[in-house]
């Protein structure tokens, strides 16, 4: 079966997520595509940059804006491995991106259908087309593996503290 264009670009977002994973960041990756070309890339760098706004989407949108020399990204699509949070959904609306394609839903913080739907709120001056669940399995897998490892390390640290304090 031939891979769809959305799957093709989502694989690039997954590559970005792998870069975040290598840095110990929550593995979320994003790319902005315009006229069949990636014009912005990003992966989570919150811990690396000590910046709560350094989400994959914000970094990719910033790079795309720099590339085009404009904050208006009309005609562009954002591919991201995890449903955007409220901050990133707001950035999508403000940047005038046309399409959002995401992999895994985020039931705890998703603002593009799960908890809220900021990008399609008709009270705002721009709405974004949403294409959910592209390569959902792969996008979910990398996040699940990361958080399982975090939980395991936390458990081991607690066990180490118990053993260390007992002596």
């Amino acid at each position: 079966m031939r891979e769809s264009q959305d799957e093709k670009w989502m694989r690039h977002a997954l590559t970005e997520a792998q870069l975040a994973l290598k840095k110990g960041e929550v593995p979320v990756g994003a790319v902005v595509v315009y006229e069949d070309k990636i014009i912005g890339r990003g992966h989570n760098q919150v811990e690396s940059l000590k910046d709560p706004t350094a989400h994959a989407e914000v970094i990719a949108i910033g790079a795309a804006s720099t590339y085009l020399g404009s904050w208006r990204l009309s005609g562009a699509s954002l591919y991201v491995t995890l449903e955007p949070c409220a901050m990133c959904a707001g950035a999508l609306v403000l940047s005038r991106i046309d399409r959002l394609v995401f992999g895994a839903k985020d039931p705890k913080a998703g603002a593009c259908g799960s908890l809220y739907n900021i990008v399609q709120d008709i009270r705002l001056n721009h709405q974004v087309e949403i294409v959910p669940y592209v390569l959902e399995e792969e996008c979910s897998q990398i996040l699940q593996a990361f958080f399982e490892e975090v939980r395991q390390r936390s458990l081991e640290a607690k066990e180490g503290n118990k053993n260390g304090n007992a002596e």
Side-chain angles (χ1 to χ4, degrees):
M1 181 176 135
R2 188 173 172 273
E3 183 175 59
S4 76
Q5 283 294 101
D6 287 341
E7 289 172 343
K8 169 188 166 183
W9 297 121
M10 186 61 76
R11 292 203 187 285
H12 288 276
L14 278 163
T15 298
E16 289 295 317
Q18 289 289 344
L19 293 173
L21 182 65
K22 287 178 184 172
K23 294 179 179 178
E25 300 275 358
V26 175
V28 177
V31 296
V32 176
V33 176
Y34 180 76
E35 295 180 349
D36 207 36
K37 178 181 179 183
I38 294 174
I39 63 167
R41 297 175 179 274
H43 55 273
N44 276 3
Q45 296 182 58
V46 171
E47 299 297 333
S48 305
L49 299 177
K50 308 292 187 242
D51 179 354
T53 68
H55 288 199
E57 300 95 321
V58 171
I59 293 168
I61 288 168
S65 294
T66 298
Y67 179 89
L68 291 179
S70 174
W71 60 268
R72 289 181 183 90
L73 299 179
S74 300
S77 297
L78 177 85
Y79 293 82
V80 61
T81 56
L82 181 66
E83 177 185 357
C85 69
M87 176 186 69
C88 294
L92 285 162
V93 171
L94 292 172
S95 68
R96 311 297 197 270
I97 281 184
D98 287 350
R99 284 177 84 230
L100 162 65
V101 181
F102 71 82
K105 67 180 177 180
D106 186 350
K108 293 185 177 181
C112 300
S114 289
L115 294 179
Y116 311 100
N117 193 350
I118 292 170
V119 298
Q120 293 185 329
D121 190 323
I122 60 170
R123 297 170 295 179
L124 299 176
N125 64 345
H126 178 73
Q127 289 79 46
V128 179
E129 176 190 346
I130 299 173
V131 180
Y133 316 129
V134 173
L135 300 181
E136 181 180 19
E137 183 74 25
E138 287 109 310
C139 293
S140 295
Q141 186 86 29
I142 189 171
L143 286 159
Q144 288 169 349
F146 173 79
F147 285 113
E148 180 60 37
E149 185 178 317
V150 168
R151 283 189 293 276
Q152 186 62 39
R153 281 196 312 255
S154 177
L155 185 62
E156 289 169 3
K158 285 180 185 176
E159 288 299 316
N161 285 341
K162 283 181 187 177
N163 294 336
N165 291 336
E167 295 177 322

